[in-house]
Amino acid sequence: MKKVILKIDKKNIPIFIGDHIITKIDFSKYIKGNDVVIITNKVLAKLHLDKLKKSFKKFNLNTFVLPDGEKYKDINSFTKIHDFLIKNKYGRDLTVIAFGGGVIGDLASFSADTFLRGVNLIHIPTTLLAQVDSSVGGKSGINHSLGKNLIGSFKHPEVIIMDTSYHKTLPKKEFVSGIAEVIKYGIIGSKTFLKWLNTNAESILMKKNEYLVKLLYASVKAKSQVVQKDEKESGIRAYLNYGHTLGHAIESSKKYKGILHGEAVSIGMTFASFISAEKSTLSIEEFNLIENTLIKFGLPVSIPHNIPCAKIIKHIDFDKKKKQGKNNFVLLNSIGKCYITNSLDIKYIEKLVKSFQN
Ligand code: NAD
Ligand code: GLY
């Protein structure tokens, strides 16, 4: 079993990584009282909940099961969770377990942060995206009808458990979508890691355990190092948004249907890398390594032709309004060396979006 420590708010948060580790963790170290509530969805409840429950035999355990899907990451589910916790008369010594992908992680952590002004939280992420990204760094939240992730907080867990055995049931498309965020850590932080991903794409796609453990360890370490330096995103945490300006615009244009987050980010990262090669000092050789790695994992690198360019530009402009009138793009001087620019002309972006459509 591998371990990374995330040091934040004078707190040391252990992150455990390994195969079938869920039964090997002594949860009593991370649980204050006797009450534990697992928050999950119907898919996970059917596949993995019975086994997980065995790890909490010593405690007064309850479960709250939501329907599956991003549309349930909303105020309605949030209220239902609070109704359940209040009706069951839980106190401040409650521990909430977020058991699922990023949707459950964001919703359960926001609920844990707001119930009685904050109770204990444990993350057990079950998708690759949730393991390498959403469970690490404390961002919690729900969607508003006017936009994604508009309501939320920073809430860190007591411990994060990354069990690679959950990948066996994860659909390939979801797994590959998570890989985009893993590739991102290579692009923004380490050419050696990016090259390793490129060389070992086949073994990773076969979900060989030693490869999964290595990529989880490298990703979690990379994210922890950024979050430790800039928890509230006033500086370098924004580098984690590499490829996300266009990625979010594509997702919003498609109303979050028919494209997964990682797929949109993959297109966005290719786009940002192309701009970096045109406007900065990213070499063609490094651009090719980035694009080729994404392609090797079966990720898209061009914008679907059926999304009108005007829609994408409108969403990039909406993003700009949220950021005090500036189009913030994260670009590269070289692999591992990011910077943020707000000086890209919208006409230039528009022309490039058109040329990126397949
Ligand atoms: P998800 O939670 O919807 O999970 C994807 C699908 O996989 C769902 O159908 C789910 O039921 C299923 N699933 C999960 N684990 C499984 C398993 N082991 N076996 C079989 N099926 C399984 O999506 P996601 O990609 O994990 O997360 C996306 C969410 O994460 C978005 O809401 C996004 O905003 C959020 N997010 C948050 C942060 C953050 O920092 N908090 C970062 C990135 C993304
Ligand atoms: N997913 C980006 C962040 O955690 O900041």
Side-chain angles (χ1 to χ4, degrees):
M1 191 181 330
K2 293 270 238 179
K3 184 175 171 185
V4 175
I5 301 280
L6 170 62
K7 291 184 180 151
I8 209 113
D9 290 345
K10 294 183 195 140
K11 209 169 156 176
N12 285 343
I13 304 165
I15 305 173
F16 294 105
I17 303 164
D19 190 22
H20 288 101
I21 57 172
I22 204 71
T23 48
K24 296 177 193 146
I25 306 287
D26 177 9
F27 281 101
S28 54
K29 282 189 194 163
Y30 311 105
I31 292 175
K32 264 197 281 183
N34 194 35
D35 291 331
V36 175
V37 170
I38 298 173
I39 298 181
T40 190
N41 73 19
K42 283 186 179 162
V43 174
L44 271 310
K46 201 169 162 196
L47 291 169
H48 301 294
L49 188 57
D50 284 347
K51 187 169 176 202
L52 179 66
K53 278 180 171 176
K54 288 187 189 141
S55 300
F56 296 97
K57 270 194 217 142
K58 283 194 227 160
F59 302 95
N60 175 33
L61 178 67
N62 216 335
T63 53
F64 187 81
V65 181
L66 284 153
D68 180 28
E70 178 76 35
K71 71 173 174 175
Y72 296 100
K73 199 177 102 175
D74 66 354
I75 194 78
N76 196 21
S77 302
F78 176 75
T79 305
K80 281 185 182 158
I81 293 171
H82 279 274
D83 290 350
F84 176 84
L85 300 179
I86 294 163
K87 281 180 189 158
N88 280 288
K89 298 190 170 58
Y90 289 116
R92 296 190 75 180
D93 60 356
L94 172 69
T95 296
V96 166
I97 316 273
F99 182 53
V103 166
I104 289 294
D106 281 9
L107 184 55
S109 55
F110 189 43
S111 305
D113 198 26
T114 44
F115 178 62
L116 301 179
R117 299 196 179 85
V119 295
N120 258 14
L121 170 72
I122 291 175
H123 270 302
I124 308 180
T126 61
T127 62
L128 184 57
L129 181 123
Q131 292 183 342
V132 299
D133 192 358
S134 62
S135 65
V136 180
K139 284 185 182 173
S140 83
I142 55 172
N143 301 327
H144 185 274
S145 56
L146 294 177
K148 210 166 131 62
N149 295 332
L150 294 182
I151 304 165
S153 66
F154 285 92
K155 168 72 177 172
H156 292 281
E158 302 305 305
V159 62
I160 310 174
I161 320 290
M162 307 201 173
D163 192 323
T164 52
S165 70
Y166 293 132
H167 292 295
K168 292 202 179 84
T169 56
L170 188 67
K172 185 170 181 204
K173 213 171 151 58
E174 295 288 349
F175 181 78
V176 169
S177 170
I179 289 285
E181 298 287 356
V182 175
I183 293 174
K184 179 187 77 182
Y185 295 121
I187 296 173
I188 69 170
S190 162
K191 190 169 175 178
T192 311
F193 182 49
L194 187 62
K195 279 185 172 168
W196 179 82
L197 290 169
N198 188 296
T199 311
N200 296 291
E202 206 177 309
S203 302
I204 295 167
L205 285 169
M206 286 164 77
K207 302 183 183 174
K208 288 189 181 167
N209 193 59
E210 56 174 301
Y211 291 85
L212 291 183
V213 170
K214 183 167 173 172
L215 77 81
L216 286 172
Y217 183 78
S219 302
V220 164
K221 240 187 142 99
K223 180 148 187 189
S224 299
Q225 276 163 1
V226 172
V227 171
Q228 275 164 196
K229 286 188 195 141
D230 176 27
E231 188 204 354
K232 300 280 161 69
E233 202 171 313
S234 47
I236 62 159
R237 187 162 180 170
Y239 293 171
L240 297 175
N241 297 332
Y242 190 72
H244 284 58
T245 306
L246 179 69
H248 282 150
I250 293 173
E251 284 183 285
S252 309
S253 303
K254 287 188 67 84
K255 299 206 165 74
Y256 299 92
K257 289 191 185 97
I259 191 152
L260 295 176
H261 178 68
E263 294 168 342
V265 167
S266 171
I267 301 165
M269 292 195 295
T270 316
F271 190 77
S273 305
F274 188 84
I275 298 177
S276 304
E278 274 213 341
K279 300 261 179 197
S280 309
T281 50
L282 183 74
S283 68
I284 296 300
E285 175 253 319
E286 291 200 337
F287 171 81
N288 287 340
L289 175 64
I290 293 169
E291 189 183 47
N292 180 259
T293 307
L294 294 164
I295 290 171
K296 269 194 164 180
F297 281 94
L299 283 158
V301 293
S302 57
I303 303 170
H305 67 275
N306 55 0
I307 312 176
C309 174
K311 256 194 185 174
I312 294 175
I313 296 299
K314 192 186 104 198
H315 285 293
I316 289 179
D317 257 4
F318 175 71
D319 204 43
K320 175 175 97 172
K321 284 198 197 88
K322 280 200 295 188
K323 288 167 189 150
Q324 286 90 38
K326 287 173 182 146
N327 270 315
N328 282 332
F329 266 85
V330 184
L331 297 181
L332 292 172
N333 275 321
S334 60
I335 289 173
K337 291 208 165 39
C338 298
Y339 68 96
I340 298 172
T341 180
N342 55 33
S343 64
L344 291 181
D345 181 41
I346 196 75
K347 288 278 165 232
Y348 168 74
I349 296 170
E350 194 174 346
K351 201 175 114 212
L352 218 56
V353 165
K354 281 188 184 140
S355 74
F356 251 72
Q357 291 201 293
N358 59 24

